[in-house]
Amino acid sequence: MADTFTTRTINVPTGSVETVYDLTDACSAFLRETARGRDGLLNVFTPHATAGLAVIETGSGSDDDLLAALQDLLPADDRWRHRHGSPGHGRDHVLPALVPPHATLPVVGGELQLGTWQSVVLVDTNIDNPDRKVRLSFLG
């Protein structure tokens, strides 16, 4: 199975501000090394209770729009029952219900099959955790 399934964990420094972190280059680099021209699936997973993954356009304001929409939907105030950490941290634990911690994407000829403007991103609203992990897995 080692030839059909390969997995690796990467470290992602998200800092102490809400962020949309582009993982597309890291995904492509992983596939160049592991897929070697094969077809299959790339699974991207973050093992955190307060982060998620999305496929969106970046660089045109959509990443900031996503964070603004999440702030509207999940305000960082005192309404949350989960109360440890910075004010409003309970909302960070609700985030993965809206932005799931996983994405599975097609790989054809060893290349990630994204649309022209699509990127794979880590969405992190938890300002208390500046370092994240993301697991990349290729199933050929």
Side-chain angles (χ1 to χ4, degrees), residues 44-85:
V44 186
F45 174 75
T46 188
H48 297 284
T50 58
L53 295 156
V55 178
I56 65 167
E57 178 180 8
T58 58
S60 65
S62 297
D63 32 1
D64 291 331
D65 289 341
L66 174 58
L67 290 174
L70 289 170
Q71 288 172 357
D72 289 344
L73 289 169
L74 305 170
D77 59 22
D78 64 355
R79 74 183 68 201
W80 308 101
R81 291 182 182 100
H82 187 108
R83 292 185 183 260
H84 76 85

Side-chain angles (χ1 to χ4, degrees), residues 27-41:
C27 291
S28 294
F30 172 73
L31 290 171
R32 276 192 301 279
E33 182 181 329
T34 60
R36 297 182 308 275
R38 294 178 292 157
D39 298 345
L41 296 172

Side-chain angles (χ1 to χ4, degrees), residues 4 9 14 20-21 39 43 51 67 79 93 96 105-106 111 117 123 136:
T4 60
T9 300
T14 56
V20 173
Y21 188 98
D39 298 345
N43 182 265
L67 290 174
R79 74 183 68 201
H93 287 273
L105 305 161
E111 294 186 14
W117 305 112
V123 180
L136 305 175

Side-chain angles (χ1 to χ4, degrees), residues 75-113:
D77 59 22
D78 64 355
R79 74 183 68 201
W80 308 101
R81 291 182 182 100
H82 187 108
R83 292 185 183 260
H84 76 85
S86 60
H89 175 66
R91 73 166 186 142
D92 300 326
H93 287 273
V94 177
L95 173 79
L98 301 174
V99 183
H102 58 86
T104 301
L105 305 161
V107 176
V108 177
E111 294 186 14
L112 193 55
Q113 297 299 294

Side-chain angles (χ1 to χ4, degrees), residues 2-24:
D3 192 40
T4 60
F5 180 79
T6 306
T7 188
R8 174 175 307 140
T9 300
I10 61 172
N11 294 314
V12 179
T14 56
S16 59
V17 296
E18 296 181 14
T19 190
V20 173
Y21 188 98
D22 194 338
L23 298 168
T24 310

Side-chain angles (χ1 to χ4, degrees), residues 114-130:
L114 293 173
T116 302
W117 305 112
Q118 290 180 318
S119 296
V120 181
V121 299
L122 175 70
V123 180
D124 187 3
T125 59
N126 182 359
I127 61 173
D128 296 333
N129 190 348

